[in-house]
Amino acid sequence: MTLLEKLIEYSSKILVRPTELRGLTGNAPSEKWIAPIITSSCPYGAGRNVEEKAYRADTGKRSRVNEEERNVHRPTGRESGRILSCLSFGHRWRESVSQISSSTKAWVLKDPNVDSFEDERAMAQTELALPSGRLQRCALAVLLLFLGNVACGAEALRRPPSLRSRPRPAQIRVGGATWTQSYSWETRWYEQRLDHFSSRNATFQQKFLLRAQEWGGAESKAPIFLYCGNEGNIEWFAENTGFLFDIAPRYKALLVFPEHRYYGESMPFGSQQAAYKDADSLAYLNTEQALGDFVTLITDLKRNLSAEACPVVLFGGSYGGMLAAWMRLKYPHIAIGALSSSAPILQFEDVASPYSFTDTVSANFKAASESCYQTIRDSWTLMERLGSTKEGLRKLSSQFHMCTDLHDSGELGAWTDNAYAYVSMVNYPYPSSFLQNLPAYPINEMCKAMDSIPESDAMARIFAAMDVYYNYTGDLACFDIYDDPHGMSGWDWQACTEMVMPQSNRNTSMYLPFEWNFEDFAYWCEKNYGVRPRSHWIVEEFGGHDIEAVLKRFGSNIVFSNGLVDPWSGGGVLKNISDSIVALVTAEGAHHLDLRAIQPEVDPQWLVDQRNAELQHIDRWLLEFYADRDDGHAEQA
């Protein structure tokens, strides 16, 4: 009997404790799964070299995997929209994307009948650098949303993370000492419906984390705080959302962290390989189904705990913040309010500016150091020139301490591009370990490292900056540019179906000029997934155009928090819409910084003030909830 069959047989109870699950299976799930490279524009997606991954997966690398596995070896990522940027990243080093000919595009996407990497290069009629750029601003991440990151080898086989009742503590250096955040919870499983919008009865096991130590209980109608899971392992987000753990005692709240379907261990069809097999198996990976999961889980959980009268407050950062806001709008009877942090709910076609992301990244580096900014601006063409020969690539591989030699300069360009985007997202005022182990204000540290080297040695300056982002602790002997530690490999599918988040580069930014082209993006999606993006569906489903006029009349109880250092803030709600739909904007805030753990000794005053404002709104939501029921609980809020 398979593990999935055992779980289904055992699922007569809605909630399964980790100890019971281990007793049933004898161990954590052990099926191998393909962990594709993360790129794209998800808020947290680290790799933007989706296209380059597709190239390698369709050429010589394909001989290393069997036909069944080949279906899973599609580039993956997390930030919606970077796919097109990725597609054109290498090419735009030479000419505008608008000049890409049909023959060049055919070469970029490769002929699946050609098995040799060298054969395909020989077929190319141009010395075009392999496109491996940013998958439309691998964005979350995100926070995005709570935006976010990382990439892994398309051919790498990984095992799912083992079950555990508590996350690995995140160690952060503060004032020379090591401060350890440690949060405990129970890991539970819920038999979730695969399709909430049809009569199909298929189910899958969805993981969620539960912390009840501070909960006041059902009889006292104490609140339930639900964090809307993002595009990755749920433990990763719980570890980096310490704010909920910090405020749980104040509200005597029950904390619930459901994992997003198709991420982490919450895999339909029993395994990631089966879930990611093709367009049919991936068809249930979308925001509507994810929100249905949250609604179903929290409804059944409240019933199971006899807590139907307990109010629910939603939280989320980046993509999770988008889900929190959308859930409040779509299911107002389920939750009384939502704190939506760093959520680019407007970062869609014809709504927000496609230049906002790279404009913000560029402004961040220019503010830190004009010299640093100019070196980055000049580096793209220099990388291409130096990497135009095998000997040049070998030297670049050695200079940048790569674990394996680069295949082309586009790989290096995408790797450095990721670092600039992610460090802008997590430019926190204190050391952190969300995406990488980083110092306080890491953009300043990257530029200091770069400016300590003569301007004449541009590549050494770029490497010094990369060493700060990727190896601040000095633990790495070499760099593996394909690594996905957070399991964000489903984002490319979401970017190709609904999360189409255009991104372009102005000629005044530190990037090479690039204009978003939907048809190129659609071509890539059709080639790799057999689907054509519905670029306007998200806005049609949840709104976005004329959002101030629309939400003013029918929306309520949403706090949109954004920091202007965060590149995703350009797609966020930055103005108050009504008395109950408010925008909290901070000039120095980074990606969902407000949801991170409270650190009294290092938090700047503006962050303290921002969180206090958020708590005041939550207080009001709860007071109104209890007052409307006139049950005497208003004074407890």
Side-chain angles (χ1 to χ4, degrees), residues 91-373:
H91 182 67
R92 68 176 186 264
W93 290 5
R94 302 254 179 137
E95 54 182 321
S96 168
V97 68
S98 62
Q99 297 174 309
I100 298 179
S101 65
S102 58
S103 60
T104 299
K105 187 183 296 180
W107 179 76
V108 168
L109 295 172
K110 300 307 165 190
D111 183 349
N113 296 317
V114 179
D115 290 327
S116 167
F117 182 90
E118 295 300 330
D119 287 347
E120 282 219 308
R121 279 206 182 257
M123 290 173 63
Q125 296 180 1
T126 176
E127 226 174 292
L128 176 67
L130 187 64
S132 57
R134 70 189 54 116
L135 212 109
Q136 199 190 350
R137 212 90 248 135
C138 212
L140 247 176
V142 350
L143 202 212
L144 215 330
L145 304 124
F146 254 111
L147 314 158
N149 28 0
V150 180
C152 78
E155 67 276 5
L157 288 175
R158 303 289 180 87
R159 292 181 181 273
S162 59
L163 297 175
R164 57 187 177 183
S165 60
R166 60 184 299 167
R168 180 181 66 257
Q171 292 192 342
I172 300 175
R173 290 178 293 174
V174 177
T178 298
W179 174 61
T180 301
Q181 295 171 284
S182 182
Y183 305 119
S184 62
W185 53 66
E186 290 184 79
T187 300
R188 296 195 179 189
W189 296 85
Y190 175 75
E191 185 177 4
Q192 187 59 263
R193 190 179 185 90
L194 178 64
D195 187 359
H196 295 286
F197 309 105
S198 77
S199 57
R200 183 173 183 180
N201 293 321
T203 62
F204 70 96
Q205 294 297 319
Q206 180 183 17
K207 180 168 67 176
F208 69 99
L209 312 179
L210 190 72
R211 180 180 174 90
Q213 282 90 324
E214 292 81 19
W215 191 37
E219 292 184 0
S220 66
K221 298 182 177 62
I224 299 173
F225 290 172
L226 184 143
Y227 179 90
C228 297
N230 301 52
E231 66 283 28
N233 303 326
I234 189 58
E235 291 90 347
W236 178 37
F237 292 102
E239 289 169 1
N240 289 279
T241 311
F243 182 59
L244 266 68
F245 294 88
D246 294 334
I247 66 175
R250 167 189 175 120
Y251 294 101
K252 299 181 180 179
L254 175 70
L255 303 185
V256 184
F257 289 80
E259 188 165 69
H260 195 298
R261 59 170 54 201
Y262 286 83
Y263 293 103
E265 295 179 90
S266 298
M267 289 293 165
F269 309 109
S271 68
Q272 188 186 40
Q273 184 168 350
Y276 286 33
K277 181 179 181 181
D278 52 34
D280 288 337
S281 62
L282 283 164
Y284 306 98
L285 172 52
N286 57 58
T287 55
E288 294 167 291
Q289 297 286 1
L291 292 181
D293 291 343
F294 299 158
V295 169
T296 303
L297 185 148
I298 197 64
T299 301
D300 281 1
L301 179 63
K302 290 176 69 175
R303 183 181 301 115
N304 182 266
L305 298 174
S306 300
E308 290 92 338
C310 295
V312 175
V313 179
L314 304 172
F315 296 80
S318 192
Y319 172 48
M322 298 170 83
L323 293 174
W326 289 336
M327 184 170 170
R328 168 59 187 166
L329 293 174
K330 193 174 181 67
Y331 300 100
H333 58 291
I334 298 296
I336 65 170
L339 172 54
S340 176
S341 178
S342 301
I345 66 168
L346 304 179
Q347 194 69 56
F348 296 99
E349 197 167 13
D350 300 327
V351 182
S353 168
Y355 301 104
S356 61
F357 193 100
T358 50
D359 280 356
T360 302
V361 175
S362 299
N364 289 341
F365 276 88
K366 195 168 188 176
S369 165
E370 182 75 33
S371 172
C372 177
Y373 165 86

Side-chain angles (χ1 to χ4, degrees), residues 5 33 110 117 616:
E5 290 171 338
W33 57 289
K110 300 307 165 190
F117 182 90
Q616 289 174 12

